[in-house]
Amino acid sequence: MSGGVDSAVAAARAVAAGHDVTGVHLALARNPQTYRTGARGCCTLEDSRDARRAADVIGIPFYVWDMAERFHSDVVDDFVAEYAAGRTPNPCLRCNEKIKFAAVLDRAVALGFDAVVTGHHARLGPDGLLRRSVDHAKDQSYVLAVLTRAQLDRSIFPLGDATKAEVREEAARRGLAVADKPDSHDICFIADGDTRGFLAGRLGEAPGDVVDASTGAVVGSHTGAYQYTVGQRRGLHLDRPAPDGRPRYVLSITPRTNTVTVGPAEALEVSQVRAARPVWTGGERPTAPIECEVQLRAHGDVVPATVTLDGDTLHAELRRPVRGVAAGQAIVAYRSDPAGDVVLGSATITG
């Protein structure tokens, strides 16, 4: 129970479904003062109090589990290391993979619980298939697609058949004070939302060149290549405009030479994506290319593609070019289905 409306209603629905439910809030900060303040829906002392009050209203036991060290090593350190390597991580996805459905699930099973219930907006039906939420605007299947079959088998997502508005209305009917609490959107461990400053404080300054892709000319400088991500346009601080006067975008980041390469928007287009460490839960792992749809970033557009699995690598041939595909993000494959788009599998983009 994060302290937000979704996890509170998920807990209430689990009780109503006849489950013996215990509420758990995760303490994730080594020093809570370094994380966000205020009731934001996740990861603050105020959120812990909101979660406890919701548990009291629902009538379930409530505990706080200290996961700070595991969270720091598996999510925060990973976040910094990925940026240092020129990739763009998704910390929410990593938290699901390593904390909520690994560390928490492992402890829960050891204590005799059967499953972890969360307020994620996704559906997990009797067939065991992970599907998009009915509320596509709030769908979180993308950040859950990294879960293995064993993890999904011990997961319950009670909110997948409801829109966010319906969840808030239900919370109000149940007398939950978090009914109107704003959603959490920021990275919980970056208190002021300044990702660039957060990374600079941990990686230090590392001056380097910004290079034009078409001419090879140095057109600017930076104080750390980790401050940039593929597709970025703002904050480049270039010394001279492009000859055609058009905006430049970050095309690639090369940590080995500490170089950021920029160019026109059309140079961002890719038609092929390669990814590593595929997880396949939407049926038997395919032995031949399959036609499906893929999503390349959280809340990104869905693109028709041909996907091939080759050992520990996933290849996707996109039916139309996509801009701003960043290494470190996930590619998630979906199959259209009348009962809701089914998650077939995911992998981490490498190029």
Side-chain angles (χ1 to χ4, degrees):
M1 300 181 71
S2 65
V5 63
D6 290 328
S7 58
V9 173
R13 285 190 170 193
V15 171
H19 297 290
D20 184 6
V21 178
T22 294
V24 172
H25 180 81
L26 304 182
L28 301 177
R30 285 175 169 173
N31 176 6
Q33 301 307 315
T34 66
Y35 280 31
R36 302 179 316 186
T37 58
R40 301 289 300 279
C42 175
C43 314
T44 70
L45 293 175
E46 291 90 338
D47 291 321
S48 177
R49 297 184 188 110
D50 285 346
R52 184 179 296 276
R53 283 191 286 266
D56 288 343
V57 171
I58 298 167
I60 59 174
F62 178 83
Y63 298 93
V64 176
W65 286 2
D66 185 355
M67 293 279 178
E69 291 302 320
R70 180 75 180 266
F71 182 78
H72 196 90
S73 62
D74 286 350
V75 179
V76 180
D77 287 350
D78 174 81
F79 180 83
V80 175
E82 286 291 283
Y83 268 104
R87 296 184 287 267
T88 305
N90 185 319
C92 294
L93 186 152
R94 193 68 67 239
C95 184
N96 287 334
E97 177 188 17
K98 299 292 187 180
I99 305 300
K100 293 175 183 173
F101 298 93
V104 172
L105 180 58
D106 290 346
R107 182 183 293 187
V109 171
L111 291 172
F113 293 98
D114 299 313
V116 168
V117 180
T118 74
H120 286 98
H121 283 260
R123 286 178 286 175
L124 191 60
D127 57 7
L129 296 177
L130 181 64
R131 288 181 166 85
R132 289 192 187 276
S133 166
V134 298
D135 189 340
H136 278 210
K138 291 295 182 180
D139 174 61
Q140 292 173 295
S141 62
Y142 175 88
V143 295
L144 294 170
V146 70
L147 301 185
T148 65
R149 179 75 268 154
Q151 290 170 320
L152 287 174
D153 287 344
R154 287 188 175 271
S155 302
I156 300 175
F157 306 126
L159 304 187
D161 63 351
T163 66
K164 187 61 181 248
E166 290 168 343
V167 170
R168 290 194 181 280
E169 291 169 2
E170 182 174 337
R173 290 197 305 271
R174 292 181 180 276
L176 297 168
V178 292
D180 296 320
K181 186 173 179 177
D183 290 341
S184 173
H185 296 290
D186 303 327
I187 298 174
C188 66
F189 53 85
I190 301 181
D192 57 4
D194 181 8
T195 300
R196 179 175 290 193
F198 175 85
L199 292 169
R202 283 149 182 81
L203 296 173
E205 289 195 0
D209 293 332
V210 179
V211 176
D212 185 271
S214 59
T215 66
V218 175
V219 294
S221 61
H222 63 77
T223 57
Y226 55 79
Q227 298 174 352
Y228 302 88
T229 186
V230 171
Q232 180 176 333
R233 174 186 173 187
R234 300 184 183 279
L236 300 184
H237 305 301
L238 304 181
D239 295 335
R240 50 178 135 157
D244 59 6
R246 297 167 61 199
R248 290 188 182 100
Y249 297 79
V250 175
L251 303 182
S252 64
I253 301 154
T254 310
R256 183 176 56 82
T257 59
N258 197 26
T259 301
V260 176
T261 302
V262 298
E266 59 268 21
L268 286 167
E269 294 182 348
V270 298
S271 297
Q272 298 184 350
V273 176
R274 186 176 68 257
R277 301 183 301 280
V279 175
W280 204 262
T281 58
E284 292 295 323
R285 181 184 171 107
T287 57
I290 63 166
E291 298 300 317
C292 61
E293 296 178 323
V294 298
Q295 186 173 328
L296 300 163
R297 66 178 69 88
H299 310 298
D301 292 337
V302 175
V303 183
T306 301
V307 168
T308 304
L309 293 182
D310 181 11
D312 199 33
T313 303
L314 180 149
H315 299 274
E317 293 270 354
L318 309 182
R319 289 286 170 266
R320 59 177 173 83
V322 174
R323 294 179 178 179
V325 177
Q329 294 285 293
I331 177 172
V332 177
Y334 291 88
R335 183 186 74 234
S336 295
D337 188 279
D341 292 350
V342 174
V343 171
L344 297 175
S346 75
T348 302
I349 296 170
T350 56

